[in-house]
Amino acid sequence: MRANKSKRAPSDRTVGRLTLYRRILNEIADDGVKHVHSHALALRAGATAAQVRRDLMVVGYEGTPRRGYGVAQLISALTSFLDEPGGQPVALVGIGNIGRSLLAYFVGRRPNLSIKAAFDVDPQKIGRVINGCRSFDLSELDREIEAQGIRVAILAVPASEAEQVARRLVDAGVVGILNFAPVALHTPPGIYVENVDVTMSLEKVAFFSRRKKARTAG
Amino acid sequence: MRANKSKRAPSDRTVGRLTLYRRILNEIADDGVKHVHSHALALRAGATAAQVRRDLMVVGYEGTPRRGYGVAQLISALTSFLDEPGGQPVALVGIGNIGRSLLAYFVGRRPNLSIKAAFDVDPQKIGRVINGCRSFDLSELDREIEAQGIRVAILAVPASEAEQVARRLVDAGVVGILNFAPVALHTPPGIYVENVDVTMSLEKVAFFSRRKKARTAG
């Protein structure tokens, strides 16, 4: 919140790295590590030590050259920078294969980001509680989003429906969309869209793998 | 295959767009569409028409200015460019939450890319058939990868294990890795790694959503 007032907004890439640093720190904290140097964090995150130090200046916590960063303090600084204090409710649209996977995946994983409402058009999938999340008919989308004050949505509908559903989400008050539909959304300015396309990613890996020689074992 | 001999390798981004075009084309083919113009494809893919035409030159199929591209012909040209003719077997390491989701997600989805072996260290999860895929103990990884000639792997293990497992995959003959572990892999040159981090993506969307004002409905 502080950064919001006094500093330029951090870039998309910086925020991505900050969330990665936090997960790395949580993991090493579980292993009992108390202090970490920027170069160790950089190695795990695929960045340089200078990059790590620059990124972490944004959150307003500095380590010492001798001991590095205090792991617990840095996690706490990252959390107050990245997270909304009371948590942010998330909507999911589309309870198909991807949608169900996400419900299972996010349950309890990030207490701060929990899927509070799921929507579909299939009568079999609505009016239920799936992994702790209530499911609704798509016709109730606008009312639920507004009633719960939801501003973040995950879009996991077929590509042919994605544009229209995105428009309804935005009209209901959503300002950030994580899009799993293999289509580019044309949203109004000011809406943040992040695309995830696992099929594309696997097809790319497969394509480039065909062109490469395996390493000789040894 | 032809492109492999005669042309420079296409970029990562080009291949990504080609796989997206193919999925868009498959979808519009299901709707009975026979021809499509580059600008219509561009709109769906979030590219420009000029970009679409340039990308599609790589696969060696050209449309006509009047009718555009033949949908069926273009799908077929993309498929022979992107896919290995007999299909490519894929290994999955890590049958946790993400791994199980991927097994369910990819079953029958892309006949050309199917997960042929899954690995874990949990005795409960091994020696089974999950969504049509046999699961093995991690100790059998090297033998199975070599026996099945697998060159593509999905890595869905905890971050702390990822580096070590990636090294074993590469030593066994894997040349392309789709990495879901929130850690940067340090692989030898020539290994293609694509990272997918759904948690990071959702955290980014949530972060930027906090900074935006909702659109006034209407």
Side-chain angles (χ1 to χ4, degrees), chain B:
Chain B
M1 305 303 257
R2 185 190 31 172
N4 211 346
K5 283 190 211 148
S6 59
K7 293 179 191 165
R8 242 183 42 185
S11 75
D12 183 275
R13 280 163 186 272
T14 302
V15 174
R17 284 191 302 268
L18 293 175
T19 99
L20 179 57
Y21 300 152
R22 177 166 61 172
R23 271 171 312 140
I24 293 169
L25 290 162
N26 278 323
E27 199 176 292
I28 64 177
D30 287 346
D31 293 341
V33 175
K34 303 282 184 228
H35 289 86
V36 65
H37 282 282
S38 52
H39 58 83
L41 205 49
L43 191 71
R44 289 280 290 270
T48 63
Q51 175 85 77
V52 167
R53 289 193 293 269
R54 206 158 48 232
D55 288 341
L56 292 178
M57 279 197 294
V58 174
V59 306
Y61 177 69
E62 280 174 53
T64 64
R66 209 171 69 83
R67 307 191 68 192
Y69 299 100
V71 171
Q73 293 91 322
L74 186 49
I75 290 172
S76 150
L78 282 164
T79 295
S80 65
F81 182 79
L82 290 169
D83 292 356
E84 176 96 14
Q88 276 172 284
V90 176
L92 168 71
V93 193
I95 317 178
N97 217 328
I98 295 180
R100 268 196 307 268
S101 299
L102 292 168
L103 281 171
Y105 180 65
F106 278 110
V107 62
R109 181 166 297 259
R110 298 237 64 83
N112 196 66
L113 283 176
S114 50
I115 303 177
K116 293 291 192 191
F119 302 91
D120 207 288
V121 289
D122 179 350
Q124 302 272 1
K125 293 178 184 162
I126 65 188
R128 295 172 51 192
V129 176
I130 305 168
N131 290 108
C133 173
R134 285 183 66 196
S135 64
F136 301 90
D137 188 274
L138 192 63
S139 66
E140 300 175 86
L141 183 135
D142 321 71
R143 204 200 52 205
E144 267 314 304
I145 299 259
E146 284 168 37
Q148 297 198 37
I150 292 174
R151 295 159 58 82
V152 176
I154 300 173
L155 195 53
V157 300
S160 55
E161 311 298 321
E163 188 78 50
Q164 186 204 332
V165 173
R167 202 169 307 132
R168 281 181 63 187
L169 286 167
V170 169
D171 284 340
V174 163
V175 290
I177 297 175
L178 180 58
N179 175 37
F180 283 85
V183 64
L185 300 177
H186 300 92
T187 47
I191 305 299
Y192 185 88
V193 176
E194 170 93 4
N195 296 298
V196 176
D197 191 334
V198 175
T199 303
M200 176 197 286
S201 297
L202 184 59
E203 290 191 342
K204 272 166 59 176
V205 174
F207 178 83
F208 287 106
S209 299
R210 283 170 52 197
R211 304 175 153 254
K212 291 188 187 294
K213 280 218 185 314
R215 199 176 164 222
T216 312

